[in-house]
């Protein structure tokens, strides 16, 4: 009897002992600082690998002498942003001194690109270095490994054991109540370029899961123009003079229809086949803005082929096609850096595309798209409440899959209309149209499936000070209090929602994190393209001096104006001296929401 009592008395202690020995994976606490790598040792131990971090100690928290000096001298990102977006007179002077401007551009390229690991490191199935993670290009790579599966909370150790309901989170903090225009004057020409450009390498393979990509090129390859497979490319090609297939409507060249190019496109079954346009990307029939850019590049490709044919009359169809493609890739990168990124940054510093700046630097000409970059680039707030084309308003229901807008209105009218309609501000929250909100909900859900580390861990990786509170993140109190109630701790805040909710810079399209995280991915991907390497960047690659000059002088305005009969207003920002009809409509009382 006494023995039984003793056993009953010991039972609670036995359970306590089991609980004590079931230790939490110490890497769930993210103990390794300054890019140190956490390695689980034994049942409850860990080691931090501080190799080449510039720090040492148990948690890689003690700086070396030179790391201390560098940290002391390095200006804050907000200070640098202020300098770059002010003092126009100073930057105008520097722009006229080529060797100084080149030196600054070289520093921008190397400093940003060096933040992205090359070769790639992790993927969604491997939170440690492996050959599979390196060699299997069907995965998106990962900047940070997934949160360990045995952590007590979804983001590590902070916050609650369950994350907020994703639908409620999106509707409360991301859904638009009233259109918030971008203070930088960004227009729909920019918004559709962003969507068109990025969808050649940001292509999640939903059949395999959110950690996989269909875009095996992992960079600027214009697969959205030429098709992602050789079979699709061959269907799109004319196989004469290097050109792509086309159709003529009302005297102008447009994309061919699927009746002439039998490729798979994603259109509603109610749309007649003759109205379905055949495009390199199977989803680009969705929006007239994407069809517009696809038409521009089709015309540009065939225009370049005519020039190459005149220069090289003995060249085969294949050589004309392949060389034209390289020229268009070069044009794309130049437009992205000198027009697109220049506008997006808001910098007074003049950005230039000159691959030779990196020829004497340690630089790897290979790129892998990271899943964090894929999530970061979901800029749904850019889209307005409706689309104004030649004074006519199109709600989403009438705009989507409407190929007749392009064919009937024409390229010039679309370009001018989109150039004059202001896009929405990306940062600050509450600016995603209800029709697009489900896509953002999907991004948050995928982030959870992929076990992305919390937002502050990414802040640390990019050398940014982690936020200490939700108020510091959002710049106000009410939303901050609501977020704290949902997440419990700022170190549990998720990556994608935080990027959209972060307080924007003054008069800017988004905040510090989007700039400091997005720029390294972008510049590494652009300058890591093979055509930017010493063996490729020379006239012969592009068919001689004439082709090389097409690349080196490319601009958004030239892309449009060389491929239309009458040059319209074209830019990535709305004109300053033109009344914006879309803004007037947006300011009117809305009964939509």
């Amino acid at each position: 009897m006494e023995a039984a009592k003793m056993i009953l008395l010991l039972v609670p202690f036995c359970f306590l002992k089991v609980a004590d020995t079931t230790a939490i994976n110490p890497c769930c606490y993210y103990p390794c600082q300054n890019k140190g790598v956490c390695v689980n040792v034994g049942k409850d131990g860990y080691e931090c690998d501080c190799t080449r971090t510039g720090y040492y100690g148990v948690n890689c928290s003690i700086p070396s002498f030179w790391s201390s000096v560098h940290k002391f001298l390095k200006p804050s990102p907000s200070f640098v942003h202020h300098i770059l977006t002010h003092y126009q007179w100073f930057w105008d002077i520097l722009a006229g001194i080529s060797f100084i401007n080149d030196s600054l551009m070289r520093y921008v390229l190397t400093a940003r690109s060096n933040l992205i690991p090359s070769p790639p490191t992790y993927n969604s199935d491997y939170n440690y270095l492996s050959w599979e993670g390196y060699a299997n290009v069907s995965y998106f790579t990962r900047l940070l490994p997934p949160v360990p599966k045995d952590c007590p909370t979804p983001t590590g150790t902070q916050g609650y054991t369950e994350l907020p309901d994703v639908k409620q989170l999106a509707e409360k903090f991301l859904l638009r109540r009233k259109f918030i225009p971008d203070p930088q004057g960004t227009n729909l020409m920019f918004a559709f370029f962003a969507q068109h450009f990025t969808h050649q390498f940001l292509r999640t393979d939903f059949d395999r899961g959110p950690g996989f990509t269909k875009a095996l090129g992992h960079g600027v390859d214009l697969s959205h123009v030429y098709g992602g497979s050789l079979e699709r490319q061959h269907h799109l090609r004319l196989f004469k003079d290097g050109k792509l297939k086309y159709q003529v409507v009302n005297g102008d060249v447009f994309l061919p229809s699927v009746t002439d190019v039998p490729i798979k496109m994603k259109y509603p079954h109610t749309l007649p086949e003759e109205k379905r346009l055949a495009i390199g990307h199977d989803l680009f029939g969705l929006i007239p803005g994407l069809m517009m850019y696809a038409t521009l590049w089709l015309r540009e490709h065939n225009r370049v082929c005519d020039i190459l044919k005149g220069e090289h009359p003995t060249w085969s169809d294949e050589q004309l096609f392949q060389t034209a493609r390289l020229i268009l890739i070069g044009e794309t990168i130049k437009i992205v850096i000198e027009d697109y990124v220049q506008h997006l940054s808001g910098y007074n510093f003049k950005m230039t595309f000159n691959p030779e700046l990196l020829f004497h630097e340690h630089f790897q000409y290979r790129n892998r798209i990271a899943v964090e970059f894929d999530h970061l680039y979901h800029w749904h707030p850019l889209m307005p409440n409706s689309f104004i084309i030649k004074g006519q308003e199109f709600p989403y229901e009438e705009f989507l899959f409407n190929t007749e807008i392009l064919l009937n209105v024409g390229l010039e009218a679309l370009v001018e209309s989109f150039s004059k309609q202001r896009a929405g501000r990306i940062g600050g929250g509450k600016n995603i149209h209800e029709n697009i909100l489900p896509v953002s909900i999907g991004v948050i859900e995928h982030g959870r499936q992929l076990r992305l580390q919390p937002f502050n861990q990414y802040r640390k990786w990019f050398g940014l000070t982690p936020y200490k509170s939700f108020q510091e993140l959002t710049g106000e109190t009410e939303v901050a209090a609501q977020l704290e109630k949902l997440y419990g701790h700022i170190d549990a805040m998720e990556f994608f929602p935080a990027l959209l909710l972060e307080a924007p810079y003054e008069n800017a399209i988004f905040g510090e994190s989007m700039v400091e995280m997005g720029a390294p991915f972008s510049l590494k991907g652009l300058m890591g393209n093979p055509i930017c390497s010493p063996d490729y960047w020379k006239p012969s690659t592009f068919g001689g001096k004439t082709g090389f000059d097409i690349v080196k002088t490319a601009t958004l305005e030239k892309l449009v104006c060389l491929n239309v009969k009458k040059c319209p207003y074209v830019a990535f920002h709305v004109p300053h001296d033109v009344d914006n009809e879309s803004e007037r409509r947006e300011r009117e009382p809305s009964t939509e929401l």
Side-chain angles (χ1 to χ4, degrees):
M1 189 68 175
E2 290 298 320
K5 287 182 180 180
M6 287 295 294
I7 291 172
L8 289 172
L9 287 171
L10 285 171
V11 166
F13 293 99
C14 292
F15 281 112
L16 282 174
K17 185 175 178 63
V18 170
D20 285 341
T21 57
T22 309
I24 294 173
N25 180 346
C27 293
C28 294
Y29 292 95
Y30 309 115
C32 305
Q33 305 301 305
N34 303 300
K35 300 186 181 179
V37 178
C38 184
V39 180
N40 193 199
V41 177
K43 291 185 177 180
D44 56 1
Y46 74 94
E47 290 179 355
C48 289
D49 185 348
C50 309
T51 305
R52 286 182 290 279
T53 63
Y55 290 79
Y56 62 97
V58 175
N59 293 332
C60 308
S61 56
I62 305 172
S64 66
F65 172 76
W66 288 113
S67 292
S68 298
V69 171
H70 179 264
K71 187 175 182 180
F72 176 76
L73 295 176
K74 184 180 179 182
S76 69
S78 58
F79 175 78
V80 173
H81 183 84
H82 176 82
I83 296 297
L84 290 169
T85 54
H86 292 76
Y87 315 110
Q88 177 76 57
W89 60 270
F90 172 74
W91 295 108
D92 285 344
I93 293 172
L94 287 189
I97 308 173
S98 59
F99 79 92
I100 294 180
N101 202 77
D102 285 350
S103 296
L104 287 171
M105 190 65 201
R106 183 184 297 109
Y107 173 77
V108 168
L109 293 173
T110 54
R112 295 293 196 186
S113 298
N114 287 342
L115 288 170
I116 305 302
S118 186
T121 49
Y122 312 104
N123 65 30
S124 296
D125 285 330
Y126 292 88
N127 62 356
Y128 50 88
L129 296 187
S130 65
W131 188 256
E132 183 71 9
Y134 163 75
N136 191 339
V137 295
S138 65
Y139 282 98
F140 285 115
T141 188
R142 296 275 293 251
L143 191 65
L144 293 179
V147 175
K149 292 181 178 180
D150 54 355
C151 291
T153 72
T155 54
T157 58
Q158 296 287 3
Y160 303 122
T161 55
E162 291 188 10
L163 289 167
D165 179 81
V166 65
K167 189 170 183 290
Q168 292 178 6
L169 177 72
E171 290 177 350
K172 191 175 186 66
F173 299 103
L174 302 182
L175 179 64
R176 176 178 295 159
R177 275 66 172 173
K178 181 181 179 182
F179 177 75
I180 305 171
D182 169 44
Q184 287 182 214
T186 302
N187 59 22
L188 293 191
M189 197 68 181
F190 176 94
F192 290 130
F193 187 94
Q195 191 174 10
H196 184 270
F197 166 70
T198 60
H199 275 57
Q200 64 188 297
F201 48 79
L202 301 181
R203 298 201 63 186
T204 304
D205 188 341
F206 295 109
D207 294 331
R208 300 185 67 185
F212 292 88
T213 176
K214 292 180 180 178
L216 304 185
H218 285 271
V220 180
D221 58 5
L222 270 58
S223 56
H224 59 327
V225 175
Y226 301 109
S229 67
L230 192 60
E231 180 185 9
R232 191 176 185 90
Q233 178 198 116
H234 284 177
H235 279 301
L236 291 164
R237 286 175 60 177
L238 189 61
F239 284 105
K240 181 181 179 183
D241 298 334
K243 293 185 177 182
L244 296 171
K245 291 179 181 176
Y246 59 91
Q247 64 172 314
V248 177
V249 179
N250 298 324
D252 283 327
V253 169
F254 288 100
L255 300 159
S257 73
V258 295
T259 55
D260 297 319
V261 181
I263 58 174
K264 185 179 179 181
M265 293 291 299
K266 294 180 180 178
Y267 287 105
H269 68 277
T270 54
L271 189 68
E273 275 202 6
E274 63 272 13
K275 293 183 179 180
R276 302 180 190 183
L277 300 179
I279 311 174
H281 193 297
D282 59 359
L283 196 56
F284 275 12
L286 174 68
I287 301 175
L290 299 176
M291 304 176 211
M292 173 193 70
Y293 273 112
T295 304
L296 277 171
W297 287 115
L298 165 71
R299 293 184 185 181
E300 176 67 2
H301 175 91
N302 288 352
R303 185 186 77 87
V304 169
C305 283
D306 283 336
I307 294 172
L308 290 174
K309 178 73 173 177
E311 292 265 324
H312 310 283
T314 62
W315 275 15
S316 67
D317 166 77
E318 186 68 18
Q319 188 166 3
L320 290 168
F321 171 82
Q322 296 296 347
T323 305
R325 181 172 186 168
L326 290 176
I327 289 174
L328 264 65
I329 289 172
E331 288 186 81
T332 299
I333 297 174
K334 186 172 186 296
I335 291 170
V336 170
I337 290 178
E338 295 192 6
D339 288 326
Y340 178 88
V341 175
Q342 181 75 61
H343 166 75
L344 191 63
S345 68
Y347 293 167
N348 291 323
F349 165 63
K350 183 175 175 56
M351 303 188 76
T352 55
F353 172 50
N354 182 3
E356 294 178 20
L357 295 176
L358 295 176
F359 285 179
H360 299 292
E361 304 291 329
H362 294 290
F363 194 81
Q364 295 194 37
Y365 294 95
R366 187 182 182 190
N367 187 57
R368 282 281 292 279
I369 299 298
V371 73
E372 294 95 342
F373 186 47
D374 177 50
H375 284 213
L376 174 150
Y377 229 125
H378 281 77
W379 292 349
H380 305 130
L382 287 169
M383 290 294 106
N385 287 339
S386 60
F387 304 86
I388 315 299
I389 300 172
K390 294 187 69 174
Q392 183 179 353
E393 183 172 12
F394 291 87
Y396 278 77
E397 294 74 16
E398 298 175 16
F399 193 69
L400 302 182
F401 296 111
N402 191 339
T403 58
E404 289 187 330
I405 291 178
L406 171 68
L407 299 176
N408 294 341
V409 173
L411 211 53
E412 295 95 327
L414 273 187
V415 168
E416 183 140 16
S417 296
F418 292 150
S419 293
K420 291 181 177 180
Q421 182 170 358
R422 193 182 292 260
R425 188 186 68 186
I426 296 172
K430 296 183 179 178
N431 204 24
I432 299 179
H433 191 274
E434 61 180 345
N435 282 43
I436 315 172
L437 193 67
V439 185
S440 295
I441 290 173
V443 177
I444 300 172
E445 290 175 335
H446 290 160
R448 295 178 180 184
Q449 291 176 41
L450 296 166
R451 306 195 313 280
L452 291 184
Q453 291 192 23
F455 184 61
N456 264 343
Q457 291 302 117
Y458 285 98
R459 294 269 303 175
K460 292 177 185 178
W461 174 270
F462 285 99
L464 305 173
T465 303
Y467 287 121
K468 297 180 177 63
S469 66
F470 287 98
Q471 185 169 348
E472 194 178 4
L473 167 70
T474 62
E476 56 82 83
T477 56
E478 184 179 349
V479 171
Q482 294 169 343
L483 286 170
E484 186 162 17
K485 186 176 180 181
L486 285 177
Y487 282 97
H489 197 283
I490 186 63
D491 286 339
M493 185 65 203
E494 296 174 270
F495 177 70
F496 178 65
L499 285 167
L500 294 186
L501 293 174
E502 184 180 43
Y505 278 125
E506 183 181 2
N507 296 320
I509 193 167
F510 39 51
E512 177 183 72
S513 299
M514 192 78 83
V515 174
E516 298 301 319
M517 296 179 190
F521 285 122
S522 297
L523 293 176
K524 175 63 176 72
L526 293 167
M527 301 307 296
N529 193 284
I531 73 158
C532 299
S533 67
D535 287 331
Y536 276 66
W537 188 252
K538 49 192 175 185
S540 57
T541 300
F542 307 99
K545 182 180 182 301
T546 300
F548 205 21
D549 285 343
I550 293 174
V551 174
K552 293 195 290 184
T553 61
T555 65
L556 175 69
E557 187 175 31
K558 287 183 70 174
L559 172 65
V560 172
C561 294
L562 291 175
N563 290 292
V564 295
K565 294 174 182 176
K566 183 180 178 182
C567 187
Y569 169 76
V570 53
F572 282 141
H573 56 81
V574 294
H576 302 295
D577 57 346
V578 176
D579 179 46
N580 195 324
E581 183 179 0
S582 63
E583 285 189 69
R584 177 182 58 77
R585 292 175 187 247
E586 298 287 5
R587 286 196 298 266
E588 293 174 354
S590 174
T591 58
E592 194 173 351
L593 297 174

